[in-house]
Amino acid sequence: MNLIENANLVREQVETARNKANRQDPVNIIAVTKYVDVETAEALVKTGIQHIAENRVDKFLEKYQALKDYDLTWHLIGSLQRRKVKDVINLVDYFHALDSVKLAQEIQKRAEHPIKCFLQVNISGEESKHGFSVDELDTVLADIAQLDKIKIVGLMTMAPFEASQEELQDIFSKTHQLQKQLEKKQLKNMPFSELSMGMSRDFEVAIENGATYVRIGSSFFK
Ligand SMILES: *Cc1c(COP(=O)(O)O)cnc(C)c1O
């Protein structure tokens, strides 16, 4: 495993996809460190990584304690159990997996400041996937609008593992369209300006479809 080479390659591929899509706005690379120990995560940070993500609360806290003196932005990306919200939410810069109103209410109760959240949407309608369906969004947004500690910065989605190129294209472009519609509404506390989508296997398609945050793990650590 050569972290410097891998990190350079990821940056190059992100830049190429950005140019291909004629994007002027930045694409933020989030390094998902769930596969590696603190030492490896630290070595990756030293290659110039600024955004770190974990998908489990215990792992998040471990990395955070060890690396909190670096100037990093901290992302929690996995589904979050309500009983664990209090342990972690005030340390998180961005929470990517807001997938129920009950979870939003728990965050409201525990947060000491407004928390930047991505609303997770399930565009493919796949039963096994977390996230709100498009049909329920109006009701959900009306409920979340009551919660002043929840700031919805954008949408997050995950494509099914076995999705073809066409399906990826379809899911990511639909998510992008939805994000743009919601952004136009200029809802209070809900700028909806960001789009969290794309992992190692599909970040290029995601960037071509407007992703502003890509969550990349295995490409750094192979
Ligand atoms: C693990 C994980 C990623 C990164 O996946 P890779 O395929 O390793 O790049 C991105 N998002 C979420 C929610 C994850 O759990």
Side-chain angles (χ1 to χ4, degrees), residues 57 61 76 80-91 103 106-112:
V57 170
L61 295 173
L76 187 64
L80 175 60
Q81 289 174 302
R82 271 181 280 156
R83 65 186 172 82
K84 294 195 175 163
V85 166
K86 63 178 184 311
D87 302 334
V88 74
I89 203 66
N90 289 298
L91 304 176
L103 179 59
E106 180 64 17
I107 294 173
Q108 170 73 20
K109 194 163 123 191
R110 304 293 184 174
E112 290 156 6

Side-chain angles (χ1 to χ4, degrees), residues 26-105:
V27 176
N28 300 287
I29 300 174
I30 304 175
V32 181
T33 53
K34 65 187 181 191
Y35 309 107
V36 298
D37 57 17
V38 164
E39 289 69 32
T40 310
E42 183 167 13
L44 185 64
V45 166
K46 287 181 174 162
T47 72
I49 286 295
Q50 284 152 5
H51 295 269
I52 292 282
E54 284 285 330
N55 68 334
R56 290 184 40 183
V57 170
D58 52 343
K59 295 285 174 98
F60 179 97
L61 295 173
E62 188 193 346
K63 299 281 196 323
Y64 182 85
Q65 285 310 325
L67 303 175
K68 64 178 183 316
D69 292 339
Y70 289 94
D71 186 18
L72 296 171
T73 302
W74 290 88
H75 300 257
L76 187 64
I77 57 177
S79 61
L80 175 60
Q81 289 174 302
R82 271 181 280 156
R83 65 186 172 82
K84 294 195 175 163
V85 166
K86 63 178 184 311
D87 302 334
V88 74
I89 203 66
N90 289 298
L91 304 176
V92 167
D93 293 306
Y94 290 89
F95 173 53
H96 289 245
L98 188 58
D99 61 0
S100 79
V101 172
K102 284 212 158 80
L103 179 59
Q105 288 164 340

Side-chain angles (χ1 to χ4, degrees), residues 6-216:
N6 293 350
N8 283 340
L9 187 59
V10 169
R11 277 189 269 267
E12 250 173 64
Q13 289 168 333
V14 165
E15 218 29 50
T16 304
R18 220 179 125 255
N19 289 332
K20 198 171 155 193
N22 271 317
R23 300 262 312 263
Q24 314 295 331
D25 56 330
V27 176
N28 300 287
I29 300 174
I30 304 175
V32 181
T33 53
K34 65 187 181 191
Y35 309 107
V36 298
D37 57 17
V38 164
E39 289 69 32
T40 310
E42 183 167 13
L44 185 64
V45 166
K46 287 181 174 162
T47 72
I49 286 295
Q50 284 152 5
H51 295 269
I52 292 282
E54 284 285 330
N55 68 334
R56 290 184 40 183
V57 170
D58 52 343
K59 295 285 174 98
F60 179 97
L61 295 173
E62 188 193 346
K63 299 281 196 323
Y64 182 85
Q65 285 310 325
L67 303 175
K68 64 178 183 316
D69 292 339
Y70 289 94
D71 186 18
L72 296 171
T73 302
W74 290 88
H75 300 257
L76 187 64
I77 57 177
S79 61
L80 175 60
Q81 289 174 302
R82 271 181 280 156
R83 65 186 172 82
K84 294 195 175 163
V85 166
K86 63 178 184 311
D87 302 334
V88 74
I89 203 66
N90 289 298
L91 304 176
V92 167
D93 293 306
Y94 290 89
F95 173 53
H96 289 245
L98 188 58
D99 61 0
S100 79
V101 172
K102 284 212 158 80
L103 179 59
Q105 288 164 340
E106 180 64 17
I107 294 173
Q108 170 73 20
K109 194 163 123 191
R110 304 293 184 174
E112 290 156 6
H113 55 86
I115 308 294
K116 290 183 271 218
C117 299
F118 286 87
L119 210 63
Q120 186 170 355
V121 288
N122 180 357
I123 294 285
S124 63
E126 214 192 1
E127 296 242 343
S128 62
K129 283 272 180 288
H130 289 271
F132 296 108
S133 69
V134 177
D135 298 340
E136 64 186 329
L137 276 187
D138 280 348
T139 325
V140 165
L141 291 180
D143 289 343
I144 293 179
Q146 310 298 317
L147 311 175
D148 64 354
K149 296 279 179 23
I150 306 277
K151 178 171 181 171
I152 306 288
V153 296
L155 293 181
M156 180 274 215
T157 203
M158 283 174 82
F161 188 75
E162 65 290 346
S164 66
Q165 285 302 112
E166 290 73 33
E167 285 163 338
L168 287 176
Q169 187 67 38
D170 183 57
I171 291 168
F172 290 156
S173 70
K174 280 183 179 150
T175 310
H176 190 202
Q177 281 168 28
L178 183 60
Q179 178 245 323
K180 287 288 164 204
Q181 283 169 20
L182 293 166
E183 184 178 29
K184 260 197 213 128
K185 291 191 180 184
Q186 298 190 310
L187 302 170
K188 189 164 168 266
N189 269 336
M190 300 184 180
F192 276 112
S193 51
E194 308 300 325
L195 197 49
S196 168
M197 59 186 195
M199 306 166 49
S200 292
R201 62 173 183 273
D202 55 21
F203 69 85
E204 285 151 314
V205 188
I207 290 170
E208 286 160 30
N209 286 284
T212 61
Y213 286 88
V214 288
R215 311 177 311 269
I216 300 180

